[in-house]
Amino acid sequence: MAKRFPFSDFPSGWYVVGLSEELPPKGVLTRRYFDREIVLYRTESGELRATDPFCPHLGGHLGQARVEGDVLRCGFHGWKFDGAGKCVRAYGQNVPKTGVATWRAVERNQTLLVWFDARGREPTWEVPVIDPTGWTPFRFRKLAFNSHPQETSENSVDFGHFTEVHSFSKAWVVEEAVAEGPLLKATYGITKSFDLPKPLGQLGVDVTFHVQVHGLGYSYVQGEVPSLRIQYRHLILSTPVHDGRVHMRLATSVKKLPNPILTEMAHRMAFKGLCDEVESDMPIWEAKRYVERPVLAKGDGPIHKYRKWAKQFYPEAAA
Ligand code: FES
Ligand SMILES: [Fe+2]
């Protein structure tokens, strides 16, 4: 079958492969992303690690290993591996010089991330640490569908679809998209419409939001609804599973209001808002095709600027 997208399946970058809450101390998880398995584990002291799945001894699956202190003990013959993947114990005093390949892994904002680079290059940037003080914990949801992180992240600059696909009756650009290395950012204003019971018609509230796209897998949106005194944060996290398939995790946090009940209402509203908007995008992402040389018109967003920026994440890019 012909490839759906004219770029490689797995652009370089940081990608979310799980949530902090899914991996307690001593926990071991196997995840399938980038068309391969990754074993995640957490040491007793809480450090996140990620390794290739197979033990270099006789191929035991490390997803069946257990954590002992700060090492991983293979469930087949009990050999142990440290954080660098090095074998630190076999049966006795003689430790064979062997090991398992590890992944760069970090835990940020309640998510577990690994660095992917098809050429094995080290990370040159990070995703931001978002200060949770005064904010509710992020609430998450995971979607799985057919697309590619470059396609889903293009949404952030695709100004033309805001009023067509989403429930925005008006949209305007506050700050044009700017590329800064692996970060692309822009600020928009929208009027979001809510249907009120008849005969009241519709209520429109203005929302301003800043979008930060950190590589193709990690988008962070900070928004505010001044008339309702709501400030929110969204994470939109695309991770390639295999050719043409992504998992997208959505998350929302809101700034705490003096009243916890109002905070909860605001959180639910903001999270539902995000889920509804992405559910509107999803069938379009699944069915569309990638147009390499689009004809654009006034009213379109900076699609070309985005695509030029996105090129840096491909293995073809200069090292
Ligand atoms: S296969 Fe892992 S210790 Fe033997
Ligand atoms: Fe969208």
Side-chain angles (χ1 to χ4, degrees):
M1 208 172 76
K3 242 171 91 49
R4 184 173 168 201
F5 303 109
F7 28 77
S8 55
D9 304 327
F10 311 130
S12 301
W14 288 102
Y15 292 98
V16 171
V17 292
L19 303 182
S20 298
E21 66 189 25
E22 295 172 320
L23 195 63
K26 299 184 77 174
V28 181
L29 271 182
T30 304
R31 287 285 147 96
R32 185 161 196 100
Y33 287 107
F34 321 108
D35 210 9
R36 71 205 71 192
E37 287 181 317
I38 308 166
V39 173
L40 305 170
Y41 69 96
R42 194 189 288 285
T43 64
E44 276 189 51
S45 62
E47 191 187 324
L48 169 69
R49 305 237 179 99
T51 84
D52 274 358
F54 297 110
C55 178
H57 176 219
L58 283 167
H61 198 295
L62 294 173
Q64 299 168 334
R66 63 178 190 269
V67 175
E68 281 186 3
D70 66 349
V71 298
L72 189 65
R73 179 186 182 123
C74 178
F76 201 175
H77 310 90
W79 291 21
K80 295 183 186 179
F81 301 90
D82 70 8
K86 196 173 137 226
C87 182
V88 290
R89 182 195 173 275
Y91 303 110
Q93 296 303 314
N94 270 343
V95 180
K97 279 199 172 51
T98 186
V100 58
T102 56
W103 293 65
R104 293 262 170 223
V106 296
E107 188 159 14
R108 288 279 153 88
N109 318 317
Q110 300 168 243
T111 63
L112 311 175
L113 297 114
V114 296
W115 170 258
F116 181 87
D117 183 90
R119 285 192 189 170
R121 290 170 294 188
E122 290 290 317
T124 50
W125 52 277
E126 297 188 350
V127 301
V129 176
I130 302 168
D131 182 0
T133 314
W135 291 71
T136 61
F138 278 107
R139 195 166 284 175
F140 288 89
R141 174 164 176 210
K142 188 171 105 180
L143 303 170
F145 54 93
N146 296 328
S147 189
H148 185 285
Q150 175 162 334
E151 289 276 83
T152 57
S153 294
E154 192 170 277
N155 235 246
S156 305
V157 297
D158 184 351
F159 186 74
H161 92 293
F162 285 177
T163 49
E164 185 65 26
V165 173
H166 298 297
S167 56
F168 311 156
S169 51
K170 244 171 67 191
W172 58 97
V173 176
V174 178
E175 284 172 295
E176 295 283 350
V178 178
E180 288 174 7
L183 168 66
L184 187 86
K185 54 186 190 178
T187 305
Y188 302 104
I190 52 164
T191 303
K192 190 169 160 62
S193 303
F194 296 93
D195 289 326
L196 296 175
K198 281 180 189 161
L200 297 173
Q202 284 201 321
L203 169 74
V205 290
D206 285 355
V207 181
T208 306
F209 60 97
H210 315 274
V211 184
Q212 295 181 7
V213 188
H214 295 269
L216 299 178
Y218 209 97
S219 291
Y220 172 40
V221 178
Q222 296 162 270
E224 58 182 316
V225 192
S227 61
L228 301 178
R229 295 171 195 234
I230 293 175
Q231 292 183 57
Y232 66 86
R233 295 166 167 173
H234 291 326
L235 299 174
I236 300 144
L237 312 160
S238 275
T239 307
V241 182
H242 55 74
D243 181 14
R245 186 91 183 151
V246 294
H247 283 174
M248 178 180 273
R249 289 175 179 82
L250 304 174
T252 297
S253 160
V254 292
K255 184 138 190 208
K256 287 181 185 161
L257 298 164
N259 180 329
I261 295 170
L262 290 181
T263 303
E264 175 60 22
M265 280 171 63
H267 200 174
R268 281 189 196 183
M269 192 171 104
F271 190 42
K272 183 174 184 310
L274 173 66
C275 294
D276 288 351
E277 299 307 351
V278 173
E279 276 175 15
S280 306
D281 286 313
M282 206 170 73
I284 293 182
W285 286 328
E286 285 211 292
K288 77 187 284 285
R289 79 169 174 187
Y290 181 80
V291 176
E292 203 151 8
R293 287 185 191 78
V295 176
L296 300 178
K298 194 166 162 34
D300 270 315
I303 301 287
H304 291 306
K305 182 189 253 185
Y306 168 80
R307 292 182 178 183
K308 197 169 157 220
W309 168 82
K311 281 203 165 91
Q312 67 183 299
F313 303 110
Y314 289 92
E316 302 81 32

